[in-house]
């Protein structure tokens, strides 16, 4: 009964681990979950107040598919002010989270057999959406030596006549790596003279630590023309449940195609969210964002220190996002089994690295309070020590 397309999709390991952790909690077990991909901070009050106002004002009807004019203007203003990128409001579509933005893009451009280059470790959804769109994921492996970032040489070697797109994520989920301006320039040089699209996922751009964020499309005019910038408010403004993502591209035909697709699938996003998002995009909650960023920075430093004190484990300090990608290869190369045993024996939930295309690692989210982080790593330490005996 089911289509080949839908059967090609695999369940998300991040959701699977979170569900197992919830089940164990429901059974009364003491579970500490470090698997969630969302901030533990609440949405800033100004944003909530604007949503309440929108409801009370009766702003509860359909809107234009890509978003209301003042919202699209706010997105364009943010991109100009913070990323030095010039987009007209008509170059932008807001969607139900960046996940829908990616889905719309892949469905709009990928033909059967088209190749999409994806650096690993990658966010779990990228290859699944490529496969669903009947494309072929081409995975480039990275490791700690390169800071989990691809090189220009790796990109050049991966390109074939069938290459349609490359997906870049900076800052990265799951590694926290951030591409520098120089690194992006070297990748841009390889792409010159090709028709390859760059899907630049910049969801964690405001959560960077001791490093400047550089938007991919800002590197050069050539990169601006080929890049589809994908972003949102879920992570940096603690609005995961509001479902607000957006994409921007100067390619009018591409925007029109994605607008058509969204009009026939979900239509506009929640009208209340649209009004509330304007507050965040206009910079009215920057102080709250900075407070959250500083808290994450401190947690990252503490967690990295504690993990690197554990024999057989190692981790790089992330430059962005709120994850650590912990290397377990000295003790286990089976990340699913490692994480399953860890959860069952200690009540600590982390996500297997294989779900992100990298075996011998697990992802640890530090989007929780420092005491919980310390307790969780203490349990992991005891678990690892028991396995070495």
């Amino acid at each position: 009964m089911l289509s080949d397309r839908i059967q090609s999709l695999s369940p998300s390991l991040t959701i699977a681990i979170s569900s197992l952790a919830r089940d164990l909690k429901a059974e009364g077990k003491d579970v500490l979950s470090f698997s969630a991909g969302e901030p533990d901070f609440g949405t800033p009050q100004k944003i909530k107040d604007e949503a309440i106002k929108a409801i009370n004002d009766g702003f509860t009807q359909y809107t234009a598919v890509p978003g209301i004019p003042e919202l699209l203007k706010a997105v364009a203003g943010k991109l100009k002010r913070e990323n030095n990128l010039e987009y007209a409001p008509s170059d932008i579509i807001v969607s139900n989270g960046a996940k829908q933005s990616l889905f719309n893009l892949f469905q709009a451009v990928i033909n059967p057999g088209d190749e999409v280059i994806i650096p690993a470790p990658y966010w779990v959804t990228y290859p699944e959406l490529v496969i669903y769109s009947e494309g072929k994921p081409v995975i480039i492996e990275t490791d700690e030596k390169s800071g989990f970032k691809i090189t220009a040489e790796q990109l050049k070697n991966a390109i074939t006549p069938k290459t349609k797109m490359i997906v870049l994520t900076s800052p990265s989920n799951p590694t926290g790596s951030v591409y520098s301006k120089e690194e992006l320039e070297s990748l841009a040089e390889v792409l010159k003279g090709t028709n390859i699209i760059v899907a630049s996922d910049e969801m964690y751009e405001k959560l960077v630590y001791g490093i400047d964020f550089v938007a991919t499309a800002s590197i050069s005019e050539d990169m601006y023309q080929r890049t589809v910038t994908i972003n949102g408010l879920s992570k940096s403004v603690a609005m995961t449940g509001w479902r607000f993502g957006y994409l921007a591209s100067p390619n009018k035909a591409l925007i029109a195609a994605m607008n058509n697709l969204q009009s026939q699938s979900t239509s506009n996003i929640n009208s209340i969210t649209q009004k509330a998002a304007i507050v965040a995009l206009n910079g009215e909650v920057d102080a709250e964002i900075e407070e959250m960023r500083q808290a994450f920075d401190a947690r990252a430093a503490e967690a990295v220190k504690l993990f690197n004190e554990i024999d057989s484990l190692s981790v790089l300090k992330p430059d962005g996002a709120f994850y650590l990608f912990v290397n377990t290869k000295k003790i286990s190369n089976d990340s699913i089994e490692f994480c399953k045993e860890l959860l069952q024996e200690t009540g600590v939930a982390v996500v297997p690295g294989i779900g992100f295309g990298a075996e011998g690692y697990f992802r640890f989210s530090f989007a929780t309070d420092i005491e919980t982080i310390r307790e969780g790593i203490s349990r992991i330490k005891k678990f690892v020590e028991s396995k070495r005996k």
Side-chain angles (χ1 to χ4, degrees):
M1 291 176 61
L2 299 177
S3 69
D4 293 340
R5 182 184 294 110
I6 199 66
Q7 291 185 82
S8 73
L9 285 176
S10 300
S12 168
L13 272 178
T14 55
I15 294 175
I17 290 292
S18 295
S19 297
L20 179 56
R22 281 194 297 271
D23 290 344
L24 291 173
K25 272 188 175 181
E27 294 172 8
K29 295 186 178 180
D30 178 22
V31 174
L32 301 179
S33 181
F34 302 95
S35 60
E38 62 180 337
D40 57 315
F41 293 83
T43 302
Q45 189 61 46
K46 286 184 180 179
I47 296 172
K48 293 189 285 188
D49 289 343
E50 190 64 25
I52 293 167
K53 182 178 184 300
I55 292 171
N56 289 334
D57 289 346
F59 192 73
T60 56
Q61 297 177 315
Y62 291 134
T63 75
V65 171
I68 58 177
E70 56 265 45
L71 173 60
L72 299 179
K73 183 179 178 181
V75 175
K78 179 268 175 209
L79 290 167
K80 173 63 177 176
R81 183 177 67 254
E82 298 181 0
N83 307 116
N84 196 31
L85 293 171
E86 288 276 3
Y87 292 105
S90 58
D91 295 334
I92 297 160
I93 299 176
V94 298
S95 301
N96 293 284
K99 205 174 255 187
Q100 187 183 15
S101 297
L102 286 162
F103 181 85
N104 287 348
L105 174 61
F106 290 179
Q107 287 285 297
V109 304
I110 296 175
N111 288 312
D114 282 347
E115 295 178 354
V116 178
I117 296 172
I118 304 174
Y122 46 70
W123 181 44
V124 294
T125 297
Y126 298 143
E128 295 297 328
L129 289 186
V130 171
I131 292 168
Y132 187 80
S133 303
E134 299 185 71
K136 177 186 176 183
V138 175
I139 308 301
I140 300 179
E141 295 185 0
T142 66
D143 56 25
E144 289 92 339
K145 293 178 183 178
S146 64
F148 293 112
K149 292 176 280 188
I150 63 167
T151 65
E153 183 178 5
Q154 284 180 303
L155 175 58
K156 183 178 180 180
N157 292 338
I159 293 174
T160 75
K162 293 184 177 180
T163 303
K164 189 66 165 286
M165 180 190 300
I166 175 173
V167 179
L168 289 178
T169 317
S170 181
S172 164
N173 172 7
T175 67
S177 60
V178 179
Y179 283 90
S180 68
K181 181 180 179 182
E182 292 72 24
E183 288 166 337
L184 289 172
E185 286 174 340
S186 68
L187 298 178
E189 194 64 32
V190 174
L191 294 171
K192 277 185 179 178
T194 74
N195 292 319
I196 297 170
I197 298 165
V198 178
S200 185
D201 185 341
E202 302 175 0
M203 178 62 72
Y204 295 87
E205 66 159 318
K206 292 183 182 292
L207 301 178
V208 293
Y209 317 115
I211 190 171
D212 292 329
F213 170 77
V214 179
T216 302
S218 70
I219 291 299
S220 65
E221 178 61 23
D222 182 75
M223 284 293 274
Y224 171 76
Q225 293 296 331
R226 73 173 68 249
T227 297
V228 179
T229 298
I230 297 151
N231 209 325
L233 300 174
S234 294
K235 315 299 183 176
S236 61
V237 196
M239 292 179 66
T240 51
W242 297 71
R243 308 314 301 135
F244 181 87
Y246 64 84
L247 60 73
S249 167
N251 187 317
K252 305 296 184 184
L254 178 57
I255 290 292
M258 290 186 286
N259 189 40
N260 286 342
L261 174 59
Q262 187 160 305
S263 73
Q264 298 291 3
S265 55
T266 62
S267 193
N268 63 273
I269 73 165
N270 182 289
S271 60
I272 311 304
T273 292
Q274 292 190 55
K275 283 287 189 178
I278 294 171
V279 173
L281 292 162
N282 285 344
E284 296 180 46
V285 294
D286 284 356
E288 289 91 332
I289 294 171
E290 175 59 15
E291 181 180 346
M292 181 169 64
R293 189 199 67 79
Q294 289 182 16
F296 283 140
D297 193 6
R299 294 173 186 178
E302 176 79 357
V304 167
K305 173 180 173 292
L306 292 173
F307 268 120
N308 284 330
E309 290 174 351
I310 303 174
D311 288 341
S312 302
L313 298 185
S314 62
V315 66
L316 296 180
K317 186 178 187 301
D319 288 325
F322 42 72
Y323 310 105
L324 302 183
F325 207 54
V326 183
N327 189 322
T328 66
K329 292 179 182 178
K330 288 183 178 179
I331 192 168
S332 174
N333 266 313
D334 188 335
S335 59
I336 292 179
E337 188 62 25
F338 180 93
C339 294
K340 183 179 177 181
E341 289 183 14
L342 178 66
L343 179 56
Q344 292 173 335
E345 294 181 24
T346 73
V348 171
V350 294
V351 186
I354 191 63
F356 306 98
E359 189 56 283
Y361 296 86
F362 65 79
R363 191 190 75 174
F364 179 96
S365 170
F366 52 86
T368 189
D369 65 274
I370 196 72
E371 290 305 320
T372 301
I373 290 169
R374 288 170 179 156
E375 172 62 22
I377 297 176
S378 175
R379 294 187 192 183
I380 293 171
K381 181 179 181 179
K382 291 176 183 176
F383 173 78
V384 170
E385 287 174 347
S386 73
K387 297 301 177 184
R388 290 206 312 267
K389 291 178 180 178

